[in-house]
Amino acid sequence: MWENVVYTKAQAKYKFQQIESEPENCAPRQVKKAFGPLRDIMIKGKKIFLRDETTKINSYAFDVHMGFILYRVLKKDYGFNERLAAQDEVWRYLSLEILPDLVYERCGMNDQRFYKESRRIWLKTIWWYIHLSWQGTEEETRYIIKNNSSDEILQLVDRLGDGGYRVELTREIIRQLNIDGNSKVPRLLRRVLKLNTARVKMIEPSLSEGGIESYVADLYEYFSKNLSKVEEKSR
């Protein structure tokens, strides 16, 4: 199935320009049979979310809601994995041929969110956000990311290293983000990820004393100590 998905950036640009001329009617008239169920489930998921009149499509809650559905269906029914998720061709195809109306409703006619900017393609970002935050079960993952925001999505997806994402390490960083007093530190995830980028060049987290969990705890402790010092001075 996936081996037959060939969708260059030039093809994506052409398709986007077609959609741009009449965005309100961009729902695909025909979808390849294999991807019909994916589209049906995603559109149904959107409608369920919007039944509550207090919810907004342009929100972190919507991204998380659709992210879990996308992650679940692709894994269960389409044999999806990290190798496929790293291919922008896949996301361009899904964005412009299978779910263009959904992407449009969420992001407007923003070419970066459809195909143009690798780390901004909306479907790609919500899939990777769930994958990089995964805590073993959907229930545990929902709990650990419930207090996050759209900024956390961008921060995680943007931190792509030379060798790709450090999945186990990133999941531990997310797990510890909201424990103890960590949430009190402004823009904490951005700071921790930046510090990690510097440290990981010199230290292999899995080989540090106490392993990845201890390594990540040290990252957070660095900022919690600094916060304590600031609070003491302000008294």
Side-chain angles (χ1 to χ4, degrees):
M1 178 195 307
W2 294 109
E3 62 272 13
N4 296 322
V5 174
V6 178
Y7 211 73
T8 66
K9 206 166 187 177
Q11 286 175 289
K13 181 179 180 180
Y14 179 75
K15 183 63 176 181
F16 180 80
Q17 289 173 338
Q18 287 184 315
I19 292 172
E20 202 171 23
S21 65
E22 200 174 2
E24 300 296 340
N25 297 311
C26 67
R29 292 171 184 163
Q30 190 172 10
V31 171
K32 284 189 177 181
K33 186 176 180 180
F35 293 101
L38 171 63
R39 175 175 169 77
D40 291 343
I41 292 169
M42 290 290 284
I43 297 302
K44 182 180 179 181
K46 179 203 75 172
K47 291 177 179 177
I48 290 172
F49 179 84
L50 293 176
R51 282 177 187 170
D52 182 348
E53 294 182 359
T54 64
T55 59
K56 296 181 179 179
I57 199 167
N58 187 23
S59 67
Y60 171 73
F62 183 73
D63 290 344
V64 169
H65 174 78
M66 298 309 300
F68 274 115
I69 296 173
L70 183 65
Y71 191 76
R72 186 190 316 128
V73 175
L74 286 180
K75 182 178 182 180
K76 179 184 175 184
D77 300 334
Y78 291 86
F80 211 67
N81 54 38
E82 288 182 11
R83 180 183 62 80
L84 289 166
Q87 299 176 29
D88 284 350
E89 259 192 333
V90 167
W91 298 115
R92 290 194 292 257
Y93 179 78
L94 293 179
S95 297
L96 289 157
E97 297 293 342
I98 309 301
L99 295 161
D101 46 338
L102 180 62
V103 179
Y104 170 68
E105 285 185 74
R106 172 61 181 86
C107 307
M109 287 310 301
N110 185 336
D111 54 3
Q112 292 188 2
R113 304 298 260 166
F114 276 89
Y115 77 95
K116 196 170 186 179
E117 181 61 41
S118 178
R119 298 181 198 179
R120 291 291 182 270
I121 298 173
W122 180 64
L123 292 176
K124 179 181 180 180
T125 62
I126 61 175
W127 187 93
W128 274 105
Y129 180 60
I130 300 301
H131 187 65
L132 292 171
S133 302
W134 192 253
Q135 300 295 313
T137 67
E138 185 171 322
E139 183 181 11
E140 286 296 317
T141 308
R142 283 185 183 278
Y143 177 78
I144 214 71
I145 66 174
K146 66 180 181 179
N147 294 321
N148 291 350
S149 67
S150 297
D151 186 60
E152 273 74 29
I153 297 179
L154 294 177
Q155 290 303 316
L156 278 193
V157 177
D158 268 351
R159 302 291 171 171
L160 179 64
D162 295 335
Y165 292 111
R166 299 283 298 262
V167 177
E168 185 180 357
L169 174 59
T170 306
R171 287 173 175 174
E172 183 60 25
I173 289 174
I174 285 294
R175 189 186 73 80
Q176 294 192 35
L177 177 61
N178 291 308
I179 64 173
D180 299 326
N182 287 339
S183 58
K184 295 179 182 179
V185 183
R187 299 182 300 279
L188 180 58
L189 182 62
R190 181 181 303 183
R191 295 179 177 191
V192 165
L193 290 172
K194 190 173 181 179
L195 179 61
N196 173 63
T197 299
R199 285 192 178 180
V200 83
K201 293 176 182 177
M202 302 176 287
I203 303 170
E204 170 50 49
S206 62
L207 299 179
S208 60
E209 186 176 354
I212 290 176
E213 184 176 350
S214 179
Y215 169 85
V216 171
D218 287 342
L219 296 177
Y220 282 106
E221 186 177 4
Y222 175 85
F223 291 106
S224 62
K225 281 183 177 179
N226 286 345
L227 179 64
S228 297
K229 290 178 182 178
V230 171
E231 287 177 341
E232 287 177 6
K233 288 181 181 180
S234 64
R235 287 172 185 167

